[in-house]
Amino acid sequence: MKPKLILVFSFFCLLFTKSSSQNADINILRDINLNRNKNLDGTMRFISNTVAPIGFAVPVGLMATGWIQNDKALSKKGYVTGASLLLAVALTTTLKYSINRQRPFDTFSDVDKQADGGGPSFPSGHTTVAFATAASLSFAYPKWYVIVPSFAWAGSVAFSRMHLGLHYPSDILGGIVIGVGSSFLCYKAQQWIK
């Protein structure tokens, strides 16, 4: 009798949690997207568009500088940063097409889409890359003057994706977890190998 009771209770908890969390997800997105300062739309698009160049430039720049200066430690930091970005992108792409969640502007007609966004929604690829870059830099250079600007930039990228109506808050949270997690795994793997 107890297993059945636990199963029924679990089912209702899951049902309630899923519906209330989806409501919270869209309500938070609507608060951000529909009540936004529209004068910032161009700035938010610019911030979103910085992800690919910065995500590429950081590991390549570290590796190239290390190679030019014959600094193996610096080159290793570039390799670890690049590996964390590759892992983050691989995990995000796999999850995106496995879960196949529709974008908020496709599901809810009132969400005001202000930039291009293709493919499935969960998790946010821009957020993943931004947080993987910020976390990798923070692990490589654990100084406040690296950590604060890195995560400020990553946080502004995450916010811009909701401001522009392209992602739910849960997509952003998933991107943060994958980005930081992949950087942490690569950083720890590099320490274990060493």
Side-chain angles (χ1 to χ4, degrees), residues 22 25 96 99-103 119-122 168 170-171:
Q22 178 62 29
D25 220 17
K96 270 186 180 288
I99 295 169
N100 204 24
R101 182 183 198 186
Q102 282 192 324
R103 296 276 182 156
S121 188
F122 182 86
Y168 296 101
S170 58
D171 301 340

Side-chain angles (χ1 to χ4, degrees), residues 96-177:
K96 270 186 180 288
Y97 290 98
S98 297
I99 295 169
N100 204 24
R101 182 183 198 186
Q102 282 192 324
R103 296 276 182 156
F105 55 80
D106 288 331
T107 306
F108 299 96
S109 60
D110 62 329
V111 173
D112 191 10
K113 176 185 171 191
Q114 288 299 309
D116 293 332
S121 188
F122 182 86
S124 168
H126 283 74
T127 303
T128 300
V129 170
F131 274 87
T133 303
S136 293
L137 280 172
S138 298
F139 289 130
Y141 302 99
K143 305 286 185 199
W144 72 268
Y145 51 82
V146 173
I147 296 168
V148 171
S150 297
F151 280 101
W153 167 72
S156 66
V157 167
F159 184 81
S160 75
R161 304 307 285 167
M162 293 181 289
H163 177 96
L164 298 170
L166 301 173
H167 284 287
Y168 296 101
S170 58
D171 301 340
I172 301 303
L173 183 60
I176 292 169
V177 169

